[in-house]
Amino acid sequence: MLPQERIIVPLDVPDLESAIAQVETLPDVTFWKVGLELFVSAGPAILDYLKQHNKRIFLDLKFHDIPNTVAGACRAAIKYNVDFLTIHASAGKEALQAAVETKQASTAPPKLLAVTLLTSINDRSLAFDLQVPIELPEYILKMAMLAQENGIDGAVCSPQEVAKLREVCGDNFWLICPGVRPEFADNGDQKRVMTPKQALNAGADYLVIGRPITQSETPQLIWQKICQEIME
Ligand SMILES: O=c1ccn([C@@H]2O[C@H](COP(=O)(O)O)[C@@H](O)[C@H]2O)c(=O)[nH]1
């Protein structure tokens, strides 16, 4: 795989027209992420468009519900024939198992990824807002292990945790990192960040990089700059 094929760009836009415009602006991007904003607005039409243009798809709907509802949502999403699909690890063991059972009953299943802890959460908000009484790195490791033990294919984590998860979960567990910021970019609401090169060196399989590219005045130039950086 070429290094630039390891960068997933989110289509965090309000409608189908804006999504198509963004894909056209970045013709070299091979892997796009469709999240809640766009899917709630445009529905599966955006998935059809991406498939027609031979793009890979990360459907990032982050399911978090009771097992029966998660199973039903996975069954519906799997029909779209996407590459990656997300569920929150904190939905719990039975919901993770329900997602995996649904996937196993399908002929062309996506990789199921468990979100360990949103990259917008830091140690302080984990302790004081969410009242989780263990240290952040330990919590993330526990979420990844819960996912792996129950048959999930990989985890979404920040680059700051990826080396530890790689060491513990091994090479047959996909590690996908949002919270990636080139030196020149603002962190925005991302709290646990590293640069693209640091994230890949730490063991990430794929990086999700959005606003530093898509909200720049020159998205194609920034894309090329990031690709250059990770190839050096
Ligand atoms: O923990 C998570 C899980 C998902 N995301 C998603 O990744 C992108 C990041 O976009 P940026 O513009 O690069 O911040 C976005 O679509 C999130 O929904 C995440 O950031 N953290």
Side-chain angles (χ1 to χ4, degrees):
M1 187 173 25
L2 295 169
Q4 60 266 34
E5 291 172 354
R6 297 169 69 181
I7 302 178
I8 302 171
V9 180
L11 282 166
D12 288 332
V13 291
D15 52 48
L16 184 62
E17 292 68 31
S18 314
I20 292 173
Q22 197 159 99
V23 174
E24 288 175 349
T25 303
L26 289 161
D28 301 331
V29 175
T30 55
F31 208 155
W32 290 96
K33 184 171 88 66
V34 175
L36 286 169
E37 180 184 8
L38 181 58
F39 197 74
V40 169
S41 156
I46 181 60
L47 308 180
D48 293 338
Y49 172 83
L50 291 170
K51 273 185 254 168
Q52 279 159 14
H53 291 78
N54 296 316
K55 305 295 184 185
R56 301 183 71 202
I57 304 172
F58 175 178
L59 186 56
D60 186 21
L61 301 181
K62 298 189 190 71
F63 297 142
H64 192 184
D65 215 312
I66 61 170
N68 184 58
T69 303
V70 165
C74 285
R75 205 171 299 119
I78 283 169
K79 289 191 185 133
Y80 296 133
N81 213 356
V82 296
D83 296 280
F84 291 157
L85 180 66
T86 44
I87 172 173
H88 277 284
S90 58
K93 180 178 174 166
E94 287 179 27
L96 294 169
Q97 287 174 348
V100 170
E101 281 163 21
T102 305
K103 178 192 134 158
Q104 283 165 347
S106 133
T107 47
K111 301 281 180 241
L112 280 179
L113 307 174
V115 178
T116 51
L117 179 70
L118 292 171
T119 50
S120 54
I121 293 175
N122 61 14
D123 48 1
R124 202 177 157 74
S125 49
L126 183 70
F128 295 105
D129 303 339
L130 304 184
Q131 295 283 309
V132 172
I134 60 173
E135 297 292 324
L136 183 145
E138 193 188 342
Y139 176 78
I140 287 166
L141 184 57
K142 280 185 187 301
M143 290 300 106
M145 290 170 68
L146 176 72
Q148 190 176 38
E149 283 161 11
N150 287 288
I152 295 285
D153 301 299
V156 177
C157 61
S158 99
Q160 295 182 6
E161 299 94 43
V162 79
K164 186 68 186 172
L165 297 198
R166 178 62 69 213
E167 180 194 324
V168 174
C169 300
D171 288 338
N172 289 328
F173 194 63
W174 297 91
L175 294 175
I176 316 305
C177 293
V180 179
R181 288 290 182 266
E183 298 280 7
F184 57 83
D186 283 342
N187 287 357
D189 51 3
Q190 297 287 1
K191 299 290 185 340
R192 309 194 318 277
V193 302
M194 278 187 178
T195 68
K197 200 169 175 78
Q198 288 169 337
L200 288 174
N201 288 344
D205 292 299
Y206 289 92
L207 311 179
V208 179
I209 312 178
R211 287 165 289 180
I213 301 171
T214 57
Q215 297 203 349
S216 111
E217 285 181 7
T218 53
Q220 178 65 9
L221 279 182
I222 298 295
W223 161 262
Q224 285 167 348
K225 191 171 171 181
I226 293 171
C227 293
Q228 189 66 40
E229 183 196 317
I230 62 174
M231 281 188 283
E232 273 162 12

